[in-house]
Amino acid sequence: MAAPLEHVEISNSAVHCTHTTENTSDNTKVNTDEDDDDEDETHEPRIRETPEDIKLEAISNTLAFHPSRDILAFGDLDGDIYAYSYSCTEGENKELWSSGHHLKSCREIAFSGDGEKLFSVSKDKCVHMMDVEVGKLVTRIQKAHSAPINTLLVVDENILATGDDGGTVKAWDLRKGSAFMDLKHHEDYISSLAVDQAKKILLTASGDGTMGVFNLKRRRFELLSEFQSGDLTSVAVMKRGRKVVCGSSEGTIYIFNWNGFGATSDRFAVKAESVDCIVPVTDSIMCTASMDGYIRAINVMPNRVIGCLGQHVGEPIEQIAKSRDVHFLASCAHDSSSSSGTSPSSLP
């Protein structure tokens, strides 16, 4: 289900794997009775380096870690949403609840900053807000978009951004339940959203090969980048806000300077079929997922592939996510399970 990230981070927040050992103390009781040769043994639960994989009934499109608890949520192809508690103790992963409120495929989910709500968007064009504690639907925005919704981003406690298959971007005021920004400047689907630390600039990656820049404070469109080769599939802010990186369907990572969004400052060809999902781990290191089933750790500026963290063999990866303490990286793919991957300690 998760790949430990401690060795990828340039920090001291390492995870120490706990191993159980066999009890060989003097308390071991020996039975000399010929009719009873069995020894009483106590088997302690095995502690793993990562939680066990979670197997789902349908393909999971999206997953998200809770911001303060050991909970992992999934949204699947059937429109169902599941919440699991996870643990490194073997056999301790547990389903907390499931919800089938979406009528079509659930495209993306995200927890609120306080972890009390779970947002989801779907091919059914609806935005849902659920109570995390009980899995109950709290709010449904029907016909939120005129096209199927593909992605969402929780900007802050009051603002939610969404992007659809037709290239429209919306920003929602959750206090009013209505959109205060509704703009279409892309010619193809919105694949990914990101926001700066000040919560002012919303960045979009699109299937039309451009990155969009929108001003949330002024509620207006700023500009589109130059066209790149292939779909832009992901976008993230790196280098303490000085750089923006976009993944592409061609396996190239495009790098932009902040406030230099019109043209790329650098590009880096990864030996991968695609770079479909990007998750920043540190200011300089990010994890990427690809159609070839590999999860890679990549350093930005200088640009290099550090190594492979894990793999869904022969299956395209839909999404990856990092845990709140950055100890685990979870992934979901077409094999209907989340992957444990490999330990970054094996990286060069």
Side-chain angles (χ1 to χ4, degrees):
M1 179 186 75
L5 292 174
E6 69 274 15
H7 298 290
V8 177
E9 284 197 77
I10 306 174
S11 70
N12 295 322
S13 59
V15 173
H16 301 284
C17 185
T18 304
H19 301 278
T20 57
T21 57
E22 186 177 353
N23 186 352
T24 56
S25 68
D26 293 335
N27 292 332
T28 303
K29 182 178 180 181
V30 178
N31 192 341
T32 57
D33 190 338
E34 295 182 358
D35 294 332
D36 188 6
D37 293 330
D38 295 334
E39 294 183 358
D40 293 332
E41 296 181 357
T42 301
H43 297 282
E44 295 294 331
R46 189 164 77 92
I47 307 299
R48 298 166 49 93
E49 186 178 5
T50 63
E52 294 177 280
D53 289 358
I54 295 174
K55 191 72 175 179
L56 303 173
E57 294 182 1
I59 293 173
S60 176
N61 294 322
T62 177
L63 75 172
F65 279 100
H66 192 280
S68 60
R69 299 167 59 187
D70 291 342
I71 295 176
L72 187 59
F74 301 89
D76 71 17
L77 195 64
D78 293 336
D80 298 326
I81 298 173
Y82 297 87
Y84 281 81
S85 62
Y86 62 89
S87 171
C88 286
T89 302
E90 197 168 76
E92 288 299 308
N93 290 344
K94 295 180 181 178
E95 182 182 324
L96 301 177
W97 51 260
S98 63
S99 167
H101 295 292
H102 281 298
L103 301 178
K104 296 183 179 180
S105 175
C106 179
R107 297 279 188 82
E108 190 158 18
I109 59 174
F111 285 97
S112 60
D114 59 12
E116 295 181 1
K117 301 293 186 293
L118 181 69
F119 297 94
S120 62
V121 293
S122 168
K123 188 179 179 180
D124 64 13
K125 308 175 185 178
C126 294
V127 175
H128 285 183
M129 183 174 70
M130 302 182 64
D131 184 293
V132 172
E133 194 64 34
V134 295
K136 180 181 178 181
L137 181 64
V138 176
T139 302
R140 175 191 287 116
I141 304 176
Q142 292 184 326
K143 298 180 180 179
H145 283 244
S146 59
I149 309 173
N150 192 52
T151 186
L152 70 85
L153 176 71
V154 177
V155 176
D156 60 25
E157 66 273 15
N158 297 317
I159 298 174
L160 181 75
T162 54
D164 68 27
D165 285 356
T168 295
V169 177
K170 290 189 178 186
W172 302 83
D173 187 329
L174 297 174
R175 294 164 296 187
K176 299 178 180 178
S178 59
F180 64 84
M181 191 176 77
D182 181 352
L183 300 170
K184 176 175 166 49
H185 291 274
H186 288 290
E187 298 301 320
D188 209 334
Y189 68 97
I190 306 299
S191 59
S192 182
L193 300 166
V195 71
D196 67 334
Q197 189 173 6
K199 314 297 184 183
K200 176 183 177 182
I201 301 299
L202 179 70
L203 302 171
T204 58
S206 173
D208 64 11
T210 66
M211 181 182 72
V213 183
F214 298 82
N215 192 312
L216 290 173
K217 299 295 185 182
R218 297 183 179 180
R219 307 181 182 188
R220 72 183 189 189
F221 166 72
E222 297 284 347
L223 61 91
L224 290 180
S225 73
E226 62 184 4
F227 287 91
Q228 312 301 332
S229 177
D231 300 9
L232 292 189
T233 54
S234 45
V235 61
V237 180
M238 302 284 292
K239 291 290 187 178
R240 298 183 180 181
R242 299 192 304 272
K243 299 288 183 180
V244 175
V245 294
C246 289
S248 74
S249 60
E250 304 297 316
T252 300
I253 294 174
Y254 297 96
I255 303 174
F256 297 83
N257 290 325
W258 191 263
N259 289 332
F261 299 126
T264 58
S265 63
D266 198 2
R267 62 186 64 193
F268 174 43
V270 182
K271 292 182 179 179
E273 290 184 18
S274 60
V275 180
D276 293 326
C277 185
I278 292 174
V279 172
V281 178
T282 70
D283 286 334
S284 300
I285 297 174
M286 61 186 184
C287 290
T288 66
S290 173
M291 285 281 292
D292 60 17
Y294 285 95
I295 301 169
R296 295 171 174 87
I298 295 176
N299 193 90
V300 177
M301 308 294 286
N303 305 325
R304 66 186 181 95
V305 177
I306 299 172
C308 177
L309 291 181
Q311 180 186 14
H312 289 262
V313 180
E315 298 290 347
I317 297 174
E318 290 291 340
Q319 197 172 49
I320 54 176
K322 65 182 178 183
S323 62
R324 66 184 186 280
D325 51 13
V326 202
H327 287 166
F328 301 127
L329 184 78
S331 59
C332 57
H334 289 191
D335 53 9
S336 302
S337 71
S338 58
S339 173
S340 59
T342 57
S343 171
S345 60
S346 64
L347 298 177

mmCIF file of all heavy atoms in Angstrom, residues 203-205 209-213 223-228 232 234-239 241-247 253-267 300-301:
data_model
loop_
_atom_site.group_PDB
_atom_site.id
_atom_site.type_symbol
_atom_site.label_atom_id
_atom_site.label_comp_id
_atom_site.label_asym_id
_atom_site.label_seq_id
_atom_site.Cartn_x
_atom_site.Cartn_y
_atom_site.Cartn_z
ATOM 1 N N LEU A 203 -2.812 27.262 -10.868
ATOM 2 C CA LEU A 203 -2.167 26.750 -12.070
ATOM 3 C C LEU A 203 -2.914 25.525 -12.565
ATOM 4 O O LEU A 203 -3.364 24.687 -11.771
ATOM 5 C CB LEU A 203 -0.712 26.381 -11.768
ATOM 6 C CG LEU A 203 0.162 27.515 -11.216
ATOM 7 C CD1 LEU A 203 1.506 26.964 -10.756
ATOM 8 C CD2 LEU A 203 0.346 28.611 -12.258
ATOM 9 N N THR A 204 -3.041 25.410 -13.881
ATOM 10 C CA THR A 204 -3.750 24.285 -14.477
ATOM 11 C C THR A 204 -2.873 23.605 -15.512
ATOM 12 O O THR A 204 -2.144 24.273 -16.257
ATOM 13 C CB THR A 204 -5.044 24.757 -15.166
ATOM 14 O OG1 THR A 204 -4.704 25.733 -16.165
ATOM 15 C CG2 THR A 204 -6.005 25.378 -14.165
ATOM 16 N N ALA A 205 -2.928 22.286 -15.564
ATOM 17 C CA ALA A 205 -2.310 21.527 -16.646
ATOM 18 C C ALA A 205 -3.432 20.975 -17.501
ATOM 19 O O ALA A 205 -4.467 20.535 -16.986
ATOM 20 C CB ALA A 205 -1.452 20.389 -16.091
ATOM 21 N N GLY A 209 -1.929 20.738 -24.048
ATOM 22 C CA GLY A 209 -0.494 20.981 -24.069
ATOM 23 C C GLY A 209 -0.049 22.290 -23.473
ATOM 24 O O GLY A 209 1.110 22.687 -23.619
ATOM 25 N N THR A 210 -0.945 22.992 -22.772
ATOM 26 C CA THR A 210 -0.576 24.267 -22.162
ATOM 27 C C THR A 210 -0.806 24.243 -20.662
ATOM 28 O O THR A 210 -1.622 23.470 -20.153
ATOM 29 C CB THR A 210 -1.389 25.440 -22.747
ATOM 30 O OG1 THR A 210 -2.771 25.283 -22.380
ATOM 31 C CG2 THR A 210 -1.255 25.501 -24.258
ATOM 32 N N MET A 211 -0.088 25.125 -19.960
ATOM 33 C CA MET A 211 -0.327 25.383 -18.550
ATOM 34 C C MET A 211 -1.057 26.716 -18.437
ATOM 35 O O MET A 211 -0.675 27.700 -19.081
ATOM 36 C CB MET A 211 0.987 25.447 -17.772
ATOM 37 C CG MET A 211 0.786 25.702 -16.277
ATOM 38 S SD MET A 211 2.337 25.823 -15.354
ATOM 39 C CE MET A 211 2.949 27.404 -15.922
ATOM 40 N N GLY A 212 -2.112 26.745 -17.649
ATOM 41 C CA GLY A 212 -2.885 27.969 -17.467
ATOM 42 C C GLY A 212 -2.575 28.631 -16.141
ATOM 43 O O GLY A 212 -2.237 27.965 -15.157
ATOM 44 N N VAL A 213 -2.705 29.953 -16.108
ATOM 45 C CA VAL A 213 -2.468 30.733 -14.896
ATOM 46 C C VAL A 213 -3.710 31.579 -14.625
ATOM 47 O O VAL A 213 -4.128 32.376 -15.473
ATOM 48 C CB VAL A 213 -1.232 31.650 -15.054
ATOM 49 C CG1 VAL A 213 -0.969 32.402 -13.751
ATOM 50 C CG2 VAL A 213 -0.006 30.842 -15.469
ATOM 51 N N LEU A 223 -2.842 34.018 -18.151
ATOM 52 C CA LEU A 223 -2.194 33.646 -19.408
ATOM 53 C C LEU A 223 -2.118 32.138 -19.559
ATOM 54 O O LEU A 223 -2.329 31.385 -18.605
ATOM 55 C CB LEU A 223 -0.785 34.247 -19.483
ATOM 56 C CG LEU A 223 0.235 33.832 -18.416
ATOM 57 C CD1 LEU A 223 1.038 32.608 -18.845
ATOM 58 C CD2 LEU A 223 1.195 34.974 -18.117
ATOM 59 N N LEU A 224 -1.824 31.706 -20.797
ATOM 60 C CA LEU A 224 -1.497 30.319 -21.106
ATOM 61 C C LEU A 224 -0.030 30.244 -21.505
ATOM 62 O O LEU A 224 0.501 31.170 -22.135
ATOM 63 C CB LEU A 224 -2.349 29.789 -22.265
ATOM 64 C CG LEU A 224 -3.842 29.557 -22.045
ATOM 65 C CD1 LEU A 224 -4.464 29.028 -23.328
ATOM 66 C CD2 LEU A 224 -4.091 28.593 -20.890
ATOM 67 N N SER A 225 0.608 29.161 -21.156
ATOM 68 C CA SER A 225 1.986 28.949 -21.582
ATOM 69 C C SER A 225 2.017 28.606 -23.069
ATOM 70 O O SER A 225 0.977 28.365 -23.693
ATOM 71 C CB SER A 225 2.610 27.797 -20.792
ATOM 72 O OG SER A 225 2.078 26.542 -21.242
ATOM 73 N N GLU A 226 3.205 28.570 -23.635
ATOM 74 C CA GLU A 226 3.360 28.078 -24.992
ATOM 75 C C GLU A 226 2.968 26.603 -25.042
ATOM 76 O O GLU A 226 2.968 25.914 -24.028
ATOM 77 C CB GLU A 226 4.813 28.247 -25.442
ATOM 78 C CG GLU A 226 5.797 27.444 -24.602
ATOM 79 C CD GLU A 226 7.244 27.701 -24.994
ATOM 80 O OE1 GLU A 226 7.480 28.559 -25.858
ATOM 81 O OE2 GLU A 226 8.124 27.030 -24.424
ATOM 82 N N PHE A 227 2.610 26.128 -26.216
ATOM 83 C CA PHE A 227 2.208 24.737 -26.372
ATOM 84 C C PHE A 227 3.417 23.820 -26.234
ATOM 85 O O PHE A 227 4.501 24.120 -26.757
ATOM 86 C CB PHE A 227 1.540 24.520 -27.733
ATOM 87 C CG PHE A 227 0.162 25.108 -27.832
ATOM 88 C CD1 PHE A 227 -0.024 26.403 -28.298
ATOM 89 C CD2 PHE A 227 -0.950 24.382 -27.439
ATOM 90 C CE1 PHE A 227 -1.295 26.954 -28.382
ATOM 91 C CE2 PHE A 227 -2.224 24.918 -27.515
ATOM 92 C CZ PHE A 227 -2.393 26.217 -27.993
ATOM 93 N N GLN A 228 3.193 22.704 -25.526
ATOM 94 C CA GLN A 228 4.235 21.698 -25.374
ATOM 95 C C GLN A 228 3.862 20.457 -26.179
ATOM 96 O O GLN A 228 2.718 20.302 -26.621
ATOM 97 C CB GLN A 228 4.419 21.330 -23.900
ATOM 98 C CG GLN A 228 4.536 22.510 -22.961
ATOM 99 C CD GLN A 228 5.700 23.430 -23.292
ATOM 100 O OE1 GLN A 228 6.716 23.013 -23.848
ATOM 101 N NE2 GLN A 228 5.554 24.715 -22.963
ATOM 102 N N LEU A 232 -0.293 17.902 -21.204
ATOM 103 C CA LEU A 232 0.263 18.159 -19.883
ATOM 104 C C LEU A 232 -0.642 17.451 -18.881
ATOM 105 O O LEU A 232 -1.846 17.703 -18.828
ATOM 106 C CB LEU A 232 0.336 19.659 -19.590
ATOM 107 C CG LEU A 232 1.346 20.459 -20.424
ATOM 108 C CD1 LEU A 232 1.483 21.875 -19.889
ATOM 109 C CD2 LEU A 232 2.706 19.778 -20.482
ATOM 110 N N SER A 234 0.129 16.820 -15.374
ATOM 111 C CA SER A 234 0.285 17.101 -13.947
ATOM 112 C C SER A 234 1.028 18.411 -13.776
ATOM 113 O O SER A 234 1.785 18.836 -14.654
ATOM 114 C CB SER A 234 1.052 15.956 -13.258
ATOM 115 O OG SER A 234 2.190 15.568 -14.023
ATOM 116 N N VAL A 235 0.821 19.053 -12.625
ATOM 117 C CA VAL A 235 1.493 20.314 -12.331
ATOM 118 C C VAL A 235 1.755 20.403 -10.837
ATOM 119 O O VAL A 235 0.937 19.960 -10.019
ATOM 120 C CB VAL A 235 0.664 21.525 -12.826
ATOM 121 C CG1 VAL A 235 -0.705 21.575 -12.141
ATOM 122 C CG2 VAL A 235 1.414 22.828 -12.612
ATOM 123 N N ALA A 236 2.924 20.950 -10.462
ATOM 124 C CA ALA A 236 3.283 21.091 -9.054
ATOM 125 C C ALA A 236 4.250 22.256 -8.896
ATOM 126 O O ALA A 236 5.004 22.582 -9.815
ATOM 127 C CB ALA A 236 3.910 19.807 -8.511
ATOM 128 N N VAL A 237 4.219 22.874 -7.709
ATOM 129 C CA VAL A 237 5.127 23.970 -7.379
ATOM 130 C C VAL A 237 6.307 23.396 -6.599
ATOM 131 O O VAL A 237 6.126 22.658 -5.636
ATOM 132 C CB VAL A 237 4.404 25.053 -6.553
ATOM 133 C CG1 VAL A 237 5.355 26.191 -6.213
ATOM 134 C CG2 VAL A 237 3.180 25.567 -7.304
ATOM 135 N N MET A 238 7.523 23.743 -7.016
ATOM 136 C CA MET A 238 8.739 23.217 -6.402
ATOM 137 C C MET A 238 9.683 24.365 -6.048
ATOM 138 O O MET A 238 9.407 25.536 -6.338
ATOM 139 C CB MET A 238 9.436 22.244 -7.361
ATOM 140 C CG MET A 238 8.596 21.054 -7.806
ATOM 141 S SD MET A 238 8.436 19.775 -6.543
ATOM 142 C CE MET A 238 10.110 19.153 -6.447
ATOM 143 N N LYS A 239 10.810 23.999 -5.453
ATOM 144 C CA LYS A 239 11.899 24.932 -5.161
ATOM 145 C C LYS A 239 11.415 26.169 -4.383
ATOM 146 O O LYS A 239 11.734 27.305 -4.727
ATOM 147 C CB LYS A 239 12.592 25.363 -6.454
ATOM 148 C CG LYS A 239 13.381 24.256 -7.143
ATOM 149 C CD LYS A 239 14.626 23.893 -6.355
ATOM 150 C CE LYS A 239 15.507 22.911 -7.093
ATOM 151 N NZ LYS A 239 16.744 22.601 -6.358
ATOM 152 N N GLY A 241 8.615 27.600 -4.257
ATOM 153 C CA GLY A 241 7.792 28.509 -5.036
ATOM 154 C C GLY A 241 8.493 29.168 -6.194
ATOM 155 O O GLY A 241 7.877 29.954 -6.921
ATOM 156 N N ARG A 242 9.755 28.859 -6.419
ATOM 157 C CA ARG A 242 10.490 29.499 -7.503
ATOM 158 C C ARG A 242 10.332 28.788 -8.843
ATOM 159 O O ARG A 242 10.604 29.368 -9.892
ATOM 160 C CB ARG A 242 11.977 29.600 -7.160
ATOM 161 C CG ARG A 242 12.284 30.435 -5.925
ATOM 162 C CD ARG A 242 13.763 30.719 -5.814
ATOM 163 N NE ARG A 242 14.579 29.521 -5.818
ATOM 164 C CZ ARG A 242 14.905 28.831 -4.731
ATOM 165 N NH1 ARG A 242 14.466 29.229 -3.538
ATOM 166 N NH2 ARG A 242 15.657 27.759 -4.803
ATOM 167 N N LYS A 243 9.912 27.518 -8.809
ATOM 168 C CA LYS A 243 9.779 26.734 -10.025
ATOM 169 C C LYS A 243 8.414 26.047 -10.064
ATOM 170 O O LYS A 243 7.839 25.695 -9.031
ATOM 171 C CB LYS A 243 10.869 25.659 -10.110
ATOM 172 C CG LYS A 243 12.301 26.197 -10.128
ATOM 173 C CD LYS A 243 12.646 26.862 -11.451
ATOM 174 C CE LYS A 243 14.105 27.318 -11.460
ATOM 175 N NZ LYS A 243 14.474 27.964 -12.748
ATOM 176 N N VAL A 244 7.915 25.844 -11.276
ATOM 177 C CA VAL A 244 6.706 25.048 -11.499
ATOM 178 C C VAL A 244 7.075 23.936 -12.468
ATOM 179 O O VAL A 244 7.739 24.178 -13.487
ATOM 180 C CB VAL A 244 5.569 25.898 -12.090
ATOM 181 C CG1 VAL A 244 4.367 25.021 -12.426
ATOM 182 C CG2 VAL A 244 5.164 26.997 -11.110
ATOM 183 N N VAL A 245 6.675 22.710 -12.143
ATOM 184 C CA VAL A 245 6.980 21.574 -13.008
ATOM 185 C C VAL A 245 5.678 20.973 -13.541
ATOM 186 O O VAL A 245 4.676 20.896 -12.824
ATOM 187 C CB VAL A 245 7.797 20.493 -12.274
ATOM 188 C CG1 VAL A 245 9.175 21.028 -11.919
ATOM 189 C CG2 VAL A 245 7.081 20.014 -11.014
ATOM 190 N N CYS A 246 5.710 20.567 -14.804
ATOM 191 C CA CYS A 246 4.572 19.902 -15.432
ATOM 192 C C CYS A 246 5.025 18.581 -16.028
ATOM 193 O O CYS A 246 6.049 18.524 -16.729
ATOM 194 C CB CYS A 246 3.972 20.765 -16.540
ATOM 195 S SG CYS A 246 3.093 22.223 -15.967
ATOM 196 N N GLY A 247 4.275 17.526 -15.756
ATOM 197 C CA GLY A 247 4.517 16.252 -16.411
ATOM 198 C C GLY A 247 3.736 16.182 -17.702
ATOM 199 O O GLY A 247 2.773 16.920 -17.906
ATOM 200 N N ILE A 253 9.381 16.241 -18.505
ATOM 201 C CA ILE A 253 9.027 17.178 -17.446
ATOM 202 C C ILE A 253 9.419 18.576 -17.898
ATOM 203 O O ILE A 253 10.573 18.825 -18.261
ATOM 204 C CB ILE A 253 9.740 16.826 -16.129
ATOM 205 C CG1 ILE A 253 9.223 15.475 -15.610
ATOM 206 C CG2 ILE A 253 9.510 17.914 -15.080
ATOM 207 C CD1 ILE A 253 9.969 14.961 -14.400
ATOM 208 N N TYR A 254 8.443 19.481 -17.908
ATOM 209 C CA TYR A 254 8.676 20.865 -18.311
ATOM 210 C C TYR A 254 8.798 21.719 -17.062
ATOM 211 O O TYR A 254 7.984 21.599 -16.135
ATOM 212 C CB TYR A 254 7.545 21.367 -19.195
ATOM 213 C CG TYR A 254 7.431 20.610 -20.497
ATOM 214 C CD1 TYR A 254 6.527 19.552 -20.643
ATOM 215 C CD2 TYR A 254 8.240 20.947 -21.580
ATOM 216 C CE1 TYR A 254 6.431 18.859 -21.842
ATOM 217 C CE2 TYR A 254 8.150 20.256 -22.783
ATOM 218 C CZ TYR A 254 7.251 19.214 -22.902
ATOM 219 O OH TYR A 254 7.165 18.526 -24.085
ATOM 220 N N ILE A 255 9.802 22.604 -17.026
ATOM 221 C CA ILE A 255 10.084 23.423 -15.855
ATOM 222 C C ILE A 255 9.918 24.900 -16.221
ATOM 223 O O ILE A 255 10.468 25.366 -17.218
ATOM 224 C CB ILE A 255 11.507 23.152 -15.328
ATOM 225 C CG1 ILE A 255 11.671 21.654 -15.016
ATOM 226 C CG2 ILE A 255 11.789 23.997 -14.090
ATOM 227 C CD1 ILE A 255 13.087 21.259 -14.630
ATOM 228 N N PHE A 256 9.138 25.614 -15.397
ATOM 229 C CA PHE A 256 8.888 27.038 -15.598
ATOM 230 C C PHE A 256 9.435 27.825 -14.415
ATOM 231 O O PHE A 256 9.370 27.359 -13.270
ATOM 232 C CB PHE A 256 7.385 27.328 -15.700
ATOM 233 C CG PHE A 256 6.688 26.678 -16.864
ATOM 234 C CD1 PHE A 256 6.254 25.361 -16.792
ATOM 235 C CD2 PHE A 256 6.445 27.396 -18.034
ATOM 236 C CE1 PHE A 256 5.588 24.761 -17.861
ATOM 237 C CE2 PHE A 256 5.781 26.812 -19.099
ATOM 238 C CZ PHE A 256 5.361 25.489 -19.020
ATOM 239 N N ASN A 257 9.961 29.007 -14.678
ATOM 240 C CA ASN A 257 10.274 29.937 -13.601
ATOM 241 C C ASN A 257 8.983 30.588 -13.126
ATOM 242 O O ASN A 257 8.076 30.843 -13.918
ATOM 243 C CB ASN A 257 11.236 31.030 -14.080
ATOM 244 C CG ASN A 257 12.633 30.500 -14.343
ATOM 245 O OD1 ASN A 257 13.113 29.603 -13.650
ATOM 246 N ND2 ASN A 257 13.285 31.059 -15.351
ATOM 247 N N TRP A 258 8.904 30.851 -11.801
ATOM 248 C CA TRP A 258 7.744 31.588 -11.302
ATOM 249 C C TRP A 258 7.748 32.991 -11.913
ATOM 250 O O TRP A 258 8.773 33.649 -11.996
ATOM 251 C CB TRP A 258 7.764 31.667 -9.782
ATOM 252 C CG TRP A 258 6.468 32.175 -9.247
ATOM 253 C CD1 TRP A 258 6.166 33.448 -8.880
ATOM 254 C CD2 TRP A 258 5.279 31.405 -9.066
ATOM 255 N NE1 TRP A 258 4.855 33.528 -8.474
ATOM 256 C CE2 TRP A 258 4.286 32.290 -8.570
ATOM 257 C CE3 TRP A 258 4.955 30.066 -9.258
ATOM 258 C CZ2 TRP A 258 2.996 31.872 -8.270
ATOM 259 C CZ3 TRP A 258 3.676 29.636 -8.956
ATOM 260 C CH2 TRP A 258 2.711 30.530 -8.471
ATOM 261 N N ASN A 259 6.596 33.409 -12.359
ATOM 262 C CA ASN A 259 6.425 34.674 -13.087
ATOM 263 C C ASN A 259 7.089 34.661 -14.459
ATOM 264 O O ASN A 259 7.266 35.709 -15.077
ATOM 265 C CB ASN A 259 6.941 35.862 -12.272
ATOM 266 C CG ASN A 259 6.057 36.176 -11.081
ATOM 267 O OD1 ASN A 259 4.856 35.914 -11.118
ATOM 268 N ND2 ASN A 259 6.641 36.717 -10.016
ATOM 269 N N GLY A 260 7.415 33.451 -14.924
ATOM 270 C CA GLY A 260 7.901 33.296 -16.294
ATOM 271 C C GLY A 260 7.137 32.160 -16.940
ATOM 272 O O GLY A 260 7.713 31.261 -17.543
ATOM 273 N N PHE A 261 5.806 32.226 -16.811
ATOM 274 C CA PHE A 261 4.958 31.101 -17.181
ATOM 275 C C PHE A 261 4.764 30.933 -18.684
ATOM 276 O O PHE A 261 4.279 29.902 -19.130
ATOM 277 C CB PHE A 261 3.583 31.252 -16.520
ATOM 278 C CG PHE A 261 3.627 31.278 -15.018
ATOM 279 C CD1 PHE A 261 3.039 32.321 -14.314
ATOM 280 C CD2 PHE A 261 4.259 30.279 -14.308
ATOM 281 C CE1 PHE A 261 3.067 32.358 -12.927
ATOM 282 C CE2 PHE A 261 4.300 30.295 -12.924
ATOM 283 C CZ PHE A 261 3.703 31.347 -12.231
ATOM 284 N N GLY A 262 5.133 31.949 -19.454
ATOM 285 C CA GLY A 262 4.878 31.869 -20.885
ATOM 286 C C GLY A 262 5.699 30.826 -21.603
ATOM 287 O O GLY A 262 5.216 30.171 -22.529
ATOM 288 N N ALA A 263 6.944 30.643 -21.180
ATOM 289 C CA ALA A 263 7.846 29.703 -21.845
ATOM 290 C C ALA A 263 8.623 28.923 -20.795
ATOM 291 O O ALA A 263 8.891 29.417 -19.693
ATOM 292 C CB ALA A 263 8.808 30.442 -22.771
ATOM 293 N N THR A 264 9.008 27.706 -21.126
ATOM 294 C CA THR A 264 9.752 26.867 -20.192
ATOM 295 C C THR A 264 11.174 27.397 -20.025
ATOM 296 O O THR A 264 11.764 27.954 -20.950
ATOM 297 C CB THR A 264 9.817 25.410 -20.687
ATOM 298 O OG1 THR A 264 10.427 25.371 -21.986
ATOM 299 C CG2 THR A 264 8.429 24.810 -20.769
ATOM 300 N N SER A 265 11.708 27.197 -18.821
ATOM 301 C CA SER A 265 13.106 27.535 -18.574
ATOM 302 C C SER A 265 14.005 26.322 -18.750
ATOM 303 O O SER A 265 15.209 26.448 -18.963
ATOM 304 C CB SER A 265 13.274 28.093 -17.152
ATOM 305 O OG SER A 265 12.929 27.110 -16.183
ATOM 306 N N ASP A 266 13.411 25.135 -18.677
ATOM 307 C CA ASP A 266 14.177 23.898 -18.830
ATOM 308 C C ASP A 266 13.200 22.764 -19.095
ATOM 309 O O ASP A 266 12.000 22.877 -18.838
ATOM 310 C CB ASP A 266 14.983 23.615 -17.559
ATOM 311 C CG ASP A 266 16.121 22.625 -17.781
ATOM 312 O OD1 ASP A 266 16.313 22.186 -18.944
ATOM 313 O OD2 ASP A 266 16.808 22.296 -16.805
ATOM 314 N N ARG A 267 13.712 21.662 -19.606
ATOM 315 C CA ARG A 267 12.917 20.449 -19.788
ATOM 316 C C ARG A 267 13.803 19.241 -19.567
ATOM 317 O O ARG A 267 15.008 19.302 -19.773
ATOM 318 C CB ARG A 267 12.267 20.419 -21.165
ATOM 319 C CG ARG A 267 13.205 20.416 -22.349
ATOM 320 C CD ARG A 267 12.438 20.529 -23.648
ATOM 321 N NE ARG A 267 11.728 21.796 -23.738
ATOM 322 C CZ ARG A 267 10.791 22.056 -24.646
ATOM 323 N NH1 ARG A 267 10.444 21.138 -25.538
ATOM 324 N NH2 ARG A 267 10.192 23.232 -24.668
ATOM 325 N N VAL A 300 14.904 17.747 -8.998
ATOM 326 C CA VAL A 300 14.733 18.878 -9.907
ATOM 327 C C VAL A 300 15.825 19.913 -9.657
ATOM 328 O O VAL A 300 16.013 20.361 -8.518
ATOM 329 C CB VAL A 300 13.344 19.531 -9.720
ATOM 330 C CG1 VAL A 300 13.192 20.753 -10.603
ATOM 331 C CG2 VAL A 300 12.244 18.523 -10.005
ATOM 332 N N MET A 301 16.536 20.274 -10.685
ATOM 333 C CA MET A 301 17.575 21.311 -10.634
ATOM 334 C C MET A 301 18.648 21.014 -9.594
ATOM 335 O O MET A 301 18.634 21.637 -8.528
ATOM 336 C CB MET A 301 16.944 22.670 -10.398
ATOM 337 C CG MET A 301 15.822 23.034 -11.346
ATOM 338 S SD MET A 301 16.344 23.254 -13.056
ATOM 339 C CE MET A 301 17.171 24.823 -12.953
#
